[in-house]
Every structure is written in structure tokens, then in C-alpha cells.
Amino acid sequence: MKAIVYQPLRTPGGYYIYDRSVNTIFSVSADEYQEFKRLQDDADAERSPVVQHYRQKGLLRPNEVSIIRHPATDILPHYCENRLNYLILQVTQQCNLRCSYCAYSGLYYNRQHNSERMDFETAKRAIDFFVARTAESDRLHMGFYGGEPLLEFDLIQQCVAYVRSQVEGKQVTFGLTTNGTLLTDEKIKFFAENEFQLLLSLDGSKKEHDACRVFPNGQGSFDVVMRNLRRAKELYPDYAKKIRISTVISPKAELNDMLEYFKSDEVLSDKYITMSPLADTGLKEQVDYKESFHLVRRYEYLKYLFYLLGKIDRQYVSELVIKSQQNTEETYRALQRHNVLPACTCPGGPCIPGVKKLFVMTDGRFYPCEKITESSDCGQIGSLDAGFDQKNMEAVLNVGALSAEECKDCWALSFCKICAAQIECKDGQAQFDKADKLRACKKAQLSAAADLYEACVLHEFGYRPNEKEIVL
């Protein structure tokens, strides 16, 4: 195990050391930077006068990380019996579209469309199980997922009525992810009256959307979706403003065209839009994007950085990159706290399974969320028949234990965001794949290094989200 853990960072404007022991960046001279580079893998690094100089300032503390274990492990049984707050019902695995990039399209391992659906008895049992374990939660959320959940609209109505009859004294909200093709006046009215958080899939203009999001006969779905969105705006204009748009950037897409369309269309110009590329976990083969995608993305991100520095207005920043602001602010907040890393710690990615979300399959099996491949044994955290599986829940929570020895010496441990949804668990495996976890580790380190480098550069140019400094 390394005696001290740190990462040198060099920008055009300075030299820095990220100190894992107190989650802090401090500036150094060019000569000190070279010394730190030389000492990084030296077992006797602590003896260096440079290290001793900064240790006297409270930095570069000895590496005391000896246990990789999530702090919520011991209280997990209490949490999952008392603090559930987010239930997602997979009401069907069928869909009326056949989108080429869908998780159920055959592009991914273990997922394909089928006729499985949830009956009301199963849904009722899931709701009862959930509500009985919400004693310490004041706000509850219930989501509906597919396939295409609107194929089971009658079931959704029954579930909403049943939840309302079973819950007293708590705020209950509802949400649904849909492709938008099955929206009718009746459904729009129901969602508006029950204040559903509606997330609708739309991939840009007719050309971009219809390239992938098609009906089984190959016909594009764009015209139907836009007609339904316009109808929602006519019937319930205030509610229609709250409908969010989810855009998947497919390898076939021309990113510039997508961005321009969302800015210019009168129905979509006021919408909250999230944009993301294909999920890469579980893909059967590598998916390559056009060169133009990477160039446009870099250009849009550059504009985002100018926005942070006050050089351009928000209106010029694309929805493609604006969500990066949350990540930037999280990085700054973490560095401003200067937290001392305890001996028992874990990577920051895993959420508390079942508590952050409880995803219930059509057949009553439990998973931590909709992103984990539901045919895997190691990702399953229980069922309606057996209740919670504490052993598997702990494994999901402590996915960092797969690479415990590597984590103890990893400089990016505090910025790691790897969770079980990012690690393969193919059929027949009893546990998550360590080799895949280590591959994810390399990506996480690159991402952390980019975040810290960017934080230093922004700091050099005067970016201050609040008055606290991030560089000592």
C-alpha cells in the first residue's frame, strides 16, 4: 500500500498537487512539481523534504485507507425497512416501437422485447411492500417504466388510485417515461390532473428522430409524437411546459442539426431537454460516432466554459452540455470541504440499493434501478415472494470491494462514480466481473483527472461559484 496518495496536475498557468488524504488541491513550484512526479511511486516518498514541508501544513497525511466498505452497510437493513421513497414499476416489457438503439432492441446483452406485462395483483403487492417500508420518508415517488408503459394505461390508473388510498400524511408524486406515440386526450388529462412528471423521448428533427425511432413496419414516429405534444399544449398549456424531453444521440445523428432544431421549434424551444449518447454497458459491439459528433460536442463544451466565466450568456449554451454545470459545482464543493479521508471508506458511486430506487420487474423481482440488466443474478436484490436479499444488496452497495486493493491506493477514490449499473454481470455469473470493474476504474480516473484539471484552469481565470477557495 502506498504511504501517501496524490496526483500531480499541470496546467498552462500553474503546477498543482491533488492530495487525496484531505481532498484538496494545493499549488507548488515547478521544481516541487517535478519532485512530486518523481516520488509518486516511491515507497520512501515520506522522507522527502518537499513532502515533509507540506505535511507540516496539514497536507499529504499518511495513507490510512485500510478498508473499502460503504458506510451505510451496517444500517442497510434499517434503511430498507423504513426509508424507501422511490418505487418504479416495470408495467410491461413490450413496446409499440422498435428503436434501433433501445436496450431491448438486441443491441445489448440480455434484453429483448417480449410480451411480459405486470398484472394488477403484482402491482398491488409491490405497492404494499413499498408503502409498508416508508415510515421515515415524508415524500414518496412512484414511476412507471417499460417497454412502453402507456400500453398499460389502465394498470397505471389503478396503481395511482390504489397508492392514494394507502398513503396518508405524505406527499406522493408520479412519473413516467414514454415514447409519446400513445398519448391521447384522456391520458394527457389524467397526467395533468395527477401532476405526472412526464419524460418524453424525442431525438431532434424528423430526419434525426425517424432514423432510429420507428414502428415495427419501419415507419418513423416523429409526426405522431409532435402531433401529440401540440395537442397537450392546446389542452393543458401550463402542464405541457413541464413535459421534459429525453434525447438519445445515436451514432447516425448529425449533432449540429439536432441542436439547431431544438432551439428553433416553437413546441420544443421552452422544454427542459436532457441529451446523452448510448449507454455503453452491456453493448454487444463497439459503437462509433461520426467525427462531427466529437467536434461539435467539444465546441459546445467550450461555449459552456465561457459561460461559467461570464464571457457569454446562458442562451448561447446548448442543452447538450449545460448539465455539466452540476458536475462542475459538485467538484468545487467537494474540494472546498477539505474532508479528511477515513480509514474505512468507499468509492462515491454506489447508491443505497432499494432505498434510492426500488425497481420492480413485471414478475415481481427487485433491482436497484432500471439501468441494471435485469436478467443478471448478482444485480437482483430480492423479490415480492422472498423480500429483500440482504447479501446481494450489500454486494451492490459495496461494488468497490471488487477492486479493494486497487482502491486503497487510487488517487481518484473520492471522485469515483462507478456503480453496479456500469459493471457487467452476464448470465451465469454469481458476482460482478472484477475485470470489467477495473476497466471502469481507468475511465473513472481519466474523468476525475479531467474534472480536476478543468477546476484548476477555471480557478486561474477567476471562476468562483462562491467565496471559498479550492486551491490552497
Side-chain angles (χ1 to χ4, degrees), residues 14 37 65 103 150 182 213 246 363 367 437:
K37 289 274 288 184
V65 176
L150 291 188
L182 298 177
R213 302 190 64 81
S246 173
D363 59 5
Y367 285 84
K437 168 66 166 64

Side-chain angles (χ1 to χ4, degrees), residues 124-413:
K124 184 179 176 182
R125 289 178 63 199
I127 293 168
D128 289 341
F129 182 93
F130 171 71
V131 172
R133 291 162 176 79
T134 62
E136 297 179 11
S137 300
D138 295 328
R139 298 180 179 180
L140 310 181
H141 183 78
M142 185 175 180
F144 300 93
Y145 194 79
E148 171 49 49
L150 291 188
L151 289 170
E152 300 294 336
F153 180 63
D154 289 344
L155 175 62
I156 291 170
Q157 289 178 298
Q158 287 179 290
C159 289
V160 170
Y162 185 69
V163 167
R164 293 199 186 283
S165 71
Q166 298 301 304
V167 176
E168 293 183 4
K170 299 178 188 288
Q171 180 182 355
V172 183
T173 56
F174 302 96
L176 183 140
T177 302
T178 177
N179 60 39
T181 60
L182 298 177
L183 284 173
T184 62
D185 291 3
E186 176 194 7
K187 292 167 186 171
I188 295 169
K189 180 175 184 291
F190 176 79
F191 294 143
E193 290 177 347
N194 288 279
E195 298 182 335
F196 261 66
Q197 298 169 16
L198 212 61
L199 183 64
L200 189 147
S201 300
L202 185 73
D203 290 352
S205 68
K206 180 177 175 64
K207 173 188 172 184
E208 304 298 335
H209 183 90
D210 285 352
C212 295
R213 302 190 64 81
V214 298
F215 291 100
N217 63 3
Q219 181 181 349
S221 59
F222 176 84
D223 291 336
V224 177
V225 175
M226 290 304 296
R227 182 190 67 207
N228 293 340
L229 268 176
R230 292 189 185 94
R231 184 60 175 162
K233 192 172 183 177
E234 292 173 8
L235 293 173
Y236 300 94
D238 291 336
Y239 175 71
K241 291 179 182 178
K242 301 175 184 178
I243 296 176
R244 296 177 298 149
I245 302 297
S246 173
T247 296
V248 174
I249 306 169
S250 82
K252 302 177 182 179
E254 289 291 347
L255 191 52
N256 258 334
D257 293 344
M258 291 175 64
L259 297 176
E260 185 60 34
Y261 176 73
F262 281 123
K263 284 193 299 184
S264 59
D265 187 272
E266 61 177 358
V267 178
L268 303 170
S269 58
D270 61 349
K271 291 281 182 290
Y272 179 84
I273 301 169
T274 59
M275 303 179 108
S276 58
L278 291 180
D280 56 5
T281 303
L283 273 171
K284 290 182 178 179
E285 58 186 42
Q286 181 68 34
V287 174
D288 294 321
Y289 281 82
K290 297 179 179 179
E291 182 179 349
S292 61
F293 166 80
H294 301 287
L295 293 175
V296 172
R297 200 175 191 185
R298 288 178 64 183
Y299 171 66
E300 294 298 335
Y301 196 79
L302 179 62
K303 289 197 297 180
Y304 158 71
L305 295 176
F306 279 128
Y307 159 69
L308 289 185
L309 295 173
K311 303 299 183 183
I312 61 174
D313 292 335
R314 166 67 179 86
Q315 62 179 314
Y316 300 110
V317 183
S318 165
E319 300 301 331
L320 173 69
V321 296
I322 192 60
K323 62 182 179 182
S324 298
Q325 187 168 4
Q326 180 179 352
N327 182 66
T328 301
E329 291 173 352
E330 285 177 358
T331 300
Y332 263 72
R333 283 195 296 270
L335 291 169
Q336 288 165 343
R337 288 193 291 267
H338 311 301
N339 292 337
V340 176
L341 196 65
C344 179
T345 188
C346 70
C351 61
I352 302 178
V355 178
K356 178 82 177 283
K357 288 182 181 179
L358 175 60
F359 181 63
V360 182
M361 292 275 292
T362 55
D363 59 5
R365 285 179 291 144
F366 297 163
Y367 285 84
C369 71
E370 69 279 11
K371 295 180 181 179
I372 290 186
T373 304
E374 57 261 24
S375 60
S376 68
D377 293 333
C378 48
Q380 186 180 340
I381 59 171
S383 68
L384 287 174
D385 292 332
F388 280 126
D389 183 332
Q390 292 290 332
K391 181 180 178 181
N392 273 15
M393 292 178 82
E394 287 191 17
V396 170
L397 183 63
N398 286 287
V399 73
L402 284 172
S403 55
E405 294 307 310
E406 291 83 359
C407 287
K408 292 174 185 178
D409 287 342
C410 179
W411 68 267
L413 179 63

Side-chain angles (χ1 to χ4, degrees), residues 69 72-84 133 352-353 355 388 390 393-394 397:
R69 190 169 186 264
T73 303
D74 292 335
I75 56 176
L76 180 60
H78 174 81
Y79 270 52
C80 65
E81 290 299 321
N82 296 279
R83 292 197 180 184
L84 303 194
R133 291 162 176 79
I352 302 178
V355 178
F388 280 126
Q390 292 290 332
M393 292 178 82
E394 287 191 17
L397 183 63

